[in-house]
Amino acid sequence: MPDRLPDRAAIRAEADRLFSALQETGAQAVEADILLPAGALLDLYGEDIRARAYVTQDPIRGEMMLRPDFTVPVVQMHMAHGAEPARYCYRGEVFRKQDHIGARASEYLQVGYEVFAREAPATADAEAFALFHRLLAPLELRPATGDMGILLAAVRGLHTTDRRKAALLRHVWRPARFRALLDRFAGRTAPPPARLRLLDRLRSDTPEALMQAAGPFIGLRTPEEVAARARSLIEDSAAPPVSHREAALLDDLLAVSGAAPEALARLQDIAASLPSIAPAVGRFSDRLSALAALGIDTAALPFQASHGRSTLEYYDGFVFSFHADRPDWPPVASGGRYDALTAVLGQGRSIPAVGGVIRPGLVAALRAAP
């Protein structure tokens, strides 16, 4: 982050300029509550935001949090009474605790844009990216793109147990944990010694007998939950490993990086051996065509298959960001596709959706730089 951001008036003026530009596209301006019900919303944001949310207790409404971003409340609003298709824009403060004293702000402005459209999702992806690309072009930022949908499809297509696939999917956004699990499931590393000792004991006695021998029950989990977890460990230990071939293909997929057309060709090669990713790779191809039609030089557009694994956990498709040449800065803008989120919040309904946010404070700082 810059040592000193422009004053609030300059940042607000930059937010107003960006917001007006989004309105000029025909997007409907919307507001979102600053104080939101916590509960399930924190789970939707993932562990990073959950740890950084400002949470308080309301005597009537229960646990509440200060708005950590706009996408979830905008999705809630749209799924409750929005028309289709729809395009929204917004501006306002978001709040995120920081884990150490530094330049990163705990309260800052966001300006954002969201598209809800059932037809031509590749076109909607390209529209959102191209709009941000145009608005930020004078700043000469570095774009980055990826596609979480390809990795998620690869995991879902593995020939292993549903429990193992669920564990890998849960930790896609925690690369070190994901790698450790994949290596263990593929037999490339041994389980932790403590787990091996526990398994030896579980094979010689029941979980209930072991708990009874251990003495009074202490903890938040019920005895039934502990017993079910113990049996799942036994079941997992008996499952055959993920094949070395599939694990190697996942390694190859995660290593894909380069200009988008070359990345697409490599992913198409991998899809021949890992057919579960073929539909997602096809959507990547369609997106490149749509981006080119909007004037984006796709030959110079970077793509990383692992990009997006440190973003909000509701992204499940195309992901993008724009970066200044400042390694200590967060992205100046970021966004992506979040189709599954609309199903979670839609009470039985869903609609494809994509969007993104810009940090006007960073934009103002870049404009003010000598």
Side-chain angles (χ1 to χ4, degrees), residues 193-213:
R195 175 171 293 197
L196 291 175
R197 291 193 295 270
L198 175 61
L199 286 169
D200 285 341
R201 297 190 66 187
L202 288 171
R203 293 188 183 104
S204 63
D205 214 335
T206 66
E208 290 81 3
L210 291 173
M211 283 188 285
Q212 185 174 7

Side-chain angles (χ1 to χ4, degrees), residues 85-108:
R87 286 163 175 77
Y88 302 110
C89 61
Y90 49 82
R91 65 182 163 188
E93 289 79 7
V94 297
F95 308 86
R96 298 183 189 179
K97 290 186 292 188
Q98 303 302 325
D99 57 8
H100 62 277
I101 297 175
R104 286 201 173 211
S106 297
E107 173 187 353
Y108 57 92

